[in-house]
Amino acid sequence: MGIARIAARRFPLKKFPPLTRPSTSSSTASPSSPPIEKILIANRGEIACRVIRSARNLGIKTVAVYSEVDKNALHVEQADEAVYIGPASARSSYLNASAILNAARRTKAHAIHPGYGFLSENAEFAEHCKTEGLIFIGPPASAILDMGDKSASKRIMSEAGVPVVPGYHGYEQDLDFLKEEADRIGYPILVKPARGGGGKGMRIVLGPDGFVESLLGARREAAASFGNETVLLEKYISRPRHIEVQVFGDTHGNVVHLYERDCSIQRRHQKIIEESPAPNLTEELRCHLGQAAVSAAKAVGYYNAGTVEFIMDTLSGQFFFLEMNTRLQVEHPVTEMVIGQDLVEWQIRVANGETLPLNQSQISQSGHAFEARIYAENVPKGFLPAAGLLNHYCPPLTSTKVRVETGVKEGDTVSVHYDPMIAKLVVWGENRSAALVKLKDCLSKFQVAGVPTNVNFLQDLAGHCTFSSGQVETNFIEHFKSDLFPEYNEELVKCELEDAKFGAALAAACICECEQVEANGLSKGSLGSLWYAAPAFRINHALKRAIQLKWKNERIDMDSIPVGILVTYGKDDMYCVEIEDNSYPGMMVRDITSVGKNNFKLHVDGVTMNVSLAVYSKDSVEHIHIWYGNCHHHFMRDIMKYHDEEDVQTKDKSDTFIPSVKGSVVAPMAGCVVKVLVEDGAMVKKGQSILVLEAMKMEHVVKAPYEGCVRKLQAVVGQQVFDNSILFSIEDK
């Protein structure tokens, strides 16, 4: 860090003038130019690691950039060189064009790869790269400018004969004018930022009463994410599919499409499962989509990687131009898996001035691929982003049919400053059914502990019968909400609790065995002494241990449920495990063998099983995660010594979690207060907005749970709050 700061003083940041209309000339290498030998990656996380991998395969050296919180990140470890560029805030680091360009100059990089997000679709940055004599591994600045402005892009596409969605795509942003336009288009409408992507800032407005609040929220989020609060309005298609086409062009005038991806499975307007080919498409429609995408790219003189997104009305079968992403997409590995090509390598070759490796007739699809995005988020609370330490991180094994694109490792922290995506799981199969089987299997083996994730939810999605049949649309999650988000009921919880009790019994047996091994001075166990003692010798009777756990249901937002376990030590590494309420029959667990870090093979009532365990402490609570088969359970236990049989009758079974103060409203996520809408002492109605939090560039409005008076509201704009911290309370009238 010290060296980086010294270097920063020696090479002060250069200021750049504002960009006018960018030139259309190529920023790629000319045939006579020397080839790219060093690439600076102006990004972080998994995409930075992805670019490093392709560059290394080509013998090209790489330079990583990093913020204060990313100094030990995986992309920094993997790159040949790394340069510190600023504090944690994206605006001060990964969006700091001057710092990045100075890093390229100091390391003598020949080219900059922007990845996706951050500066990847910033026309000024692309033009400044050219001014600095750097090759921008992406499209021309003119194309970024044209397609980055969604209003302008709609007009260009319409002129090129590509169908567009009805709406207002102009520059007038007066609130009253936009409200009149919304009335003209007809509700429901979609308010969306004119720049950027990823679903950030999008609002569905069902009627005129909610228009103003939605518009202002969209503007704030757009400004925070993209530095521009301009919005456009479009007619909202109620039963849409989101289908996009991967395009690629070179500087010699060649443009091809690499077929389509279906990205309809979304939450918060962000994709979470993508696949290729798109299911249930006719070959005629697939051909028309590809041709329309190529026409769109040619209309703006496009080269390098790009994606043309379409929205398809499932009722009429019509498709409309949505937007063009002038960068490599998050989901590009799906295309790579079915066409057998490295798209990052294509990007580098095109930037080197080479022609496309293949022409359209040489590009074909083989098999089917899925991508599932693994996020740190709280699904039962509406997919709110989460942050925290990855105490345990063990993705499934990779192969030619399974890829895990990630930028983190065990022990890393998911930061509140950036997108909460942990990894992308990409699988391939000979057909959709085979690929789906592989996806479900790999999801069951994707182990993350320390932060809440969407892995269980993705398993539920992949296992849904309608998804299995390929009947997908962007409202899929909402349409099948009752299946994917079952309401709390005693029968459901009782059924899931029975499964959890089995998992708790397995966990207890494995932990007891680990302590036995450690006490005997052997090397079989790897978890250490979790209850601070080993079983002592007993005369004429077997030792019994009572273990009190609390089961955390990660699918339903509910309080933890106590699970009492009684373990009886037998001979020859055998344990009899019982549930103390006698609701679950006792079982015999024996021959527990460690088969790697946190992994065990054991026999349960004559059946051999593989089990994985993760144990860590946080806030004076011991957390125990267990994975077996398709199951994952999370248990908690207050940190204290275990009780032996003398204490069984007198042990404290009470839940020691401290309840919240009556009427208090806690932060649903860690984030920054961006707006306080009422004053302390104000009378509010149920559902009234009190303040707005922002995390990972997504806004969340905190509302009054019921009517009353706001008390102890001390939050101020710019304040960072922690997950579950008390924001204010509501007193009854």
Side-chain angles (χ1 to χ4, degrees):
M1 185 60 64
I3 295 175
R5 295 193 185 280
I6 293 171
R9 289 196 294 268
R10 288 184 59 196
F11 300 92
L13 299 186
K14 181 178 178 181
K15 303 297 182 182
F16 297 96
L19 182 68
T20 56
R21 178 67 186 175
S23 66
T24 57
S25 60
S26 171
S27 63
T28 60
S30 65
S32 59
S33 302
I36 297 170
E37 295 184 12
K38 182 184 286 190
I39 296 173
L40 182 141
I41 303 155
N43 217 297
R44 64 180 299 278
E46 64 88 12
I47 185 57
C49 296
R50 170 72 187 86
V51 174
I52 290 170
R53 187 168 70 245
S54 288
R56 184 180 295 124
N57 289 340
L58 293 171
I60 297 173
K61 296 189 180 301
T62 55
V63 179
V65 294
Y66 63 93
S67 69
E68 180 70 38
V69 296
D70 277 345
K71 59 185 177 183
N72 296 316
L74 191 60
H75 74 282
V76 175
E77 290 183 11
Q78 292 183 352
D80 296 295
E81 301 174 66
V83 180
Y84 170 75
I85 54 172
S89 166
R91 290 182 181 275
S92 303
S93 52
Y94 298 105
L95 288 172
N96 188 339
S98 296
I100 290 171
L101 290 170
N102 272 275
R105 188 185 312 115
R106 282 151 45 193
T107 56
K108 295 181 173 56
H110 303 135
I112 291 182
H113 195 300
Y116 54 73
F118 296 128
L119 295 171
S120 63
E121 294 181 285
N122 187 305
E124 289 189 18
F125 180 67
E127 191 71 6
H128 290 323
C129 286
K130 180 181 176 182
T131 302
E132 288 285 304
L134 293 163
I135 296 171
F136 180 76
I137 303 179
S142 58
I144 297 175
L145 198 64
D146 287 339
M147 293 294 98
D149 185 329
K150 292 182 174 61
S151 297
S153 68
K154 294 289 196 302
R155 292 193 297 272
I156 294 171
M157 292 302 104
S158 183
E159 292 171 1
V162 179
V164 298
V165 179
Y168 174 70
H169 307 130
Y171 295 108
E172 177 58 58
Q173 294 293 298
D174 177 73
L175 190 150
D176 291 333
F177 174 81
L178 290 176
K179 196 171 188 306
E180 290 178 3
E181 285 296 306
D183 293 335
R184 177 186 63 80
I185 297 166
Y187 293 92
I189 65 164
L190 188 65
V191 182
K192 58 194 296 187
R195 297 184 180 276
K200 295 181 174 66
M202 291 175 61
R203 299 288 193 278
I204 299 171
V205 188
L206 301 177
D209 291 343
F211 178 78
V212 174
E213 183 178 354
S214 295
L215 175 66
L216 296 178
R219 281 177 169 173
R220 284 195 304 271
E221 206 167 298
S225 299
F226 315 117
N228 188 309
E229 64 175 22
T230 304
V231 299
L232 53 83
L233 311 178
E234 289 182 348
K235 180 68 178 177
Y236 179 67
I237 298 174
S238 60
R239 296 289 301 273
R241 284 181 69 178
H242 186 129
I243 299 176
E244 62 187 29
V245 179
Q246 178 73 59
V247 295
F248 233 103
D250 60 28
T251 55
H252 305 276
N254 302 304
V255 179
V256 298
H257 71 80
L258 306 178
Y259 297 97
E260 82 290 344
R261 300 182 287 255
D262 191 295
C263 307
S264 298
I265 303 298
Q266 304 178 6
R267 57 93 179 94
R268 294 203 323 252
H269 306 296
Q270 288 185 310
K271 309 159 189 172
I272 51 174
I273 294 183
E274 302 97 344
E275 60 180 301
S276 183
N280 301 320
L281 278 192
T282 65
E283 286 304 315
E284 181 182 14
L285 181 55
R286 180 170 285 116
C287 181
H288 287 163
L289 284 166
Q291 291 173 349
V294 170
S295 296
K298 288 183 175 179
V300 290
Y302 201 86
Y303 57 77
N304 218 286
T307 300
V308 183
E309 300 194 357
F310 297 98
I311 188 169
M312 192 179 89
D313 190 337
T314 58
L315 300 178
S316 67
Q318 293 178 293
F319 67 88
F320 305 96
F321 173 82
L322 188 62
E323 63 185 15
M324 183 174 187
N325 291 308
T326 53
R327 54 173 167 80
L328 194 67
Q329 287 281 82
V330 176
E331 59 272 20
H332 75 273
V334 174
T335 296
E336 292 183 320
M337 294 290 265
V338 294
I339 68 168
Q341 297 292 317
D342 183 334
L343 298 191
V344 175
E345 180 179 330
W346 276 39
Q347 284 191 292
I348 296 170
R349 292 190 181 281
V350 167
N352 257 330
E354 299 178 29
T355 58
L356 292 177
L358 301 173
N359 60 43
Q360 192 66 67
S361 64
Q362 296 173 309
I363 301 169
S364 61
Q365 291 177 303
S366 174
H368 200 99
F370 284 100
E371 175 181 282
R373 303 190 191 187
I374 313 298
Y375 280 99
E377 61 185 13
N378 197 316
V379 175
K381 291 185 177 180
F383 302 99
L384 290 180
L389 183 68
L390 293 173
N391 296 95
H392 177 78
Y393 180 63
C394 184
L397 296 176
T398 59
S399 67
T400 57
K401 297 182 180 181
V402 178
R403 286 169 58 173
V404 177
E405 301 289 346
T406 188
V408 297
K409 57 187 181 302
E410 185 170 303
D412 284 353
T413 297
V414 179
S415 170
V416 298
H417 299 284
Y418 314 117
D419 187 272
M421 187 170 70
I422 297 172
K424 302 181 307 194
L425 171 64
V426 191
V427 301
W428 181 91
E430 291 80 6
N431 50 54
R432 191 175 189 272
S433 296
L436 187 55
V437 169
K438 178 65 71 174
L439 175 65
K440 290 188 284 189
D441 178 60
C442 289
L443 283 171
S444 72
K445 296 174 181 175
F446 210 117
Q447 302 175 12
V448 184
V451 294
T453 73
N454 65 337
V455 172
N456 286 342
F457 180 72
L458 290 170
Q459 285 181 275
D460 293 342
L461 269 175
H464 196 280
C465 59
T466 305
F467 180 80
S468 296
S469 67
Q471 302 299 317
V472 294
E473 57 180 82
T474 56
N475 295 324
F476 186 95
I477 293 174
E478 182 63 30
H479 285 170
F480 296 100
K481 189 174 182 178
S482 60
D483 297 338
L484 299 171
F485 300 97
E487 292 185 6
Y488 175 89
N489 66 78
E490 291 186 5
E491 192 61 33
L492 174 64
V493 172
K494 182 180 179 180
C495 180
E496 294 193 351
L497 180 58
E498 290 305 302
D499 291 337
K501 287 177 179 178
F502 181 77
L506 293 178
C510 288
I511 290 171
C512 289
E513 173 65 14
C514 284
E515 292 186 351
Q516 282 269 59
V517 170
E518 182 177 293
N520 293 330
L522 302 178
S523 59
K524 287 170 59 181
S526 60
L527 290 177
S529 180
L530 303 178
W531 278 277
Y532 309 98
F537 177 74
R538 296 293 189 273
I539 299 176
N540 298 325
H541 71 285
L543 173 68
K544 294 183 179 181
R545 286 179 56 182
I547 301 170
Q548 188 69 26
L549 302 177
K550 297 166 188 170
W551 172 57
K552 174 65 175 174
N553 190 329
E554 298 195 341
R555 283 186 165 88
I556 301 176
D557 189 14
M558 56 178 285
D559 293 335
S560 58
I561 297 178
V563 178
I565 302 169
L566 190 63
V567 181
T568 302
Y569 288 71
K571 296 181 179 179
D572 301 322
D573 296 328
M574 183 185 71
Y575 302 90
C576 177
V577 187
E578 303 169 88
I579 303 300
E580 291 185 353
D581 60 7
N582 296 318
S583 62
Y584 196 90
M587 62 185 190
M588 304 302 293
V589 183
R590 64 191 311 155
D591 299 331
I592 302 174
T593 305
S594 174
V595 290
K597 182 183 178 183
N598 302 336
N599 298 316
F600 302 88
K601 184 180 289 290
L602 49 82
H603 296 271
V604 181
D605 294 335
V607 178
T608 302
M609 296 183 64
N610 292 310
V611 169
S612 296
L613 209 63
V615 180
Y616 60 92
S617 298
K618 181 179 180 182
D619 299 330
S620 299
V621 175
E622 195 169 65
H623 293 259
I624 303 166
H625 291 256
I626 185 167
W627 292 266
Y628 58 93
N630 293 324
C631 298
H632 165 226
H633 297 295
H634 177 193
F635 303 98
M636 296 173 291
R637 184 180 188 275
D638 300 327
I639 294 180
M640 57 190 294
K641 292 185 179 181
Y642 75 87
H643 305 274
D644 62 17
E645 74 271 27
E646 286 83 6
D647 299 316
V648 167
Q649 302 301 321
T650 61
K651 69 182 183 306
D652 180 12
K653 296 184 180 180
S654 63
D655 190 334
T656 59
F657 279 77
I658 300 174
S660 299
V661 178
K662 182 179 179 181
S664 63
V665 178
V666 300
M669 61 183 185
C672 178
V673 178
V674 295
K675 197 166 188 180
V676 179
L677 303 171
V678 302
E679 294 182 354
D680 189 47
M683 295 299 299
V684 295
K685 297 180 180 180
K686 179 181 179 180
Q688 183 174 336
S689 300
I690 307 299
L691 54 82
V692 181
L693 293 177
E694 181 188 82
M696 288 85 166
K697 301 181 182 178
M698 300 296 291
E699 284 191 357
H700 179 78
V701 180
V702 180
K703 299 181 179 181
Y706 45 79
E707 186 176 0
C709 181
V710 177
R711 296 296 186 192
K712 299 180 181 179
L713 176 60
Q714 299 177 343
V716 296
V717 174
Q719 178 182 342
Q720 290 285 337
V721 297
F722 296 101
D723 186 19
N724 289 322
S725 61
I726 296 177
L727 299 174
F728 57 88
S729 61
I730 301 291
E731 290 184 357
D732 293 336
K733 293 176 60 178

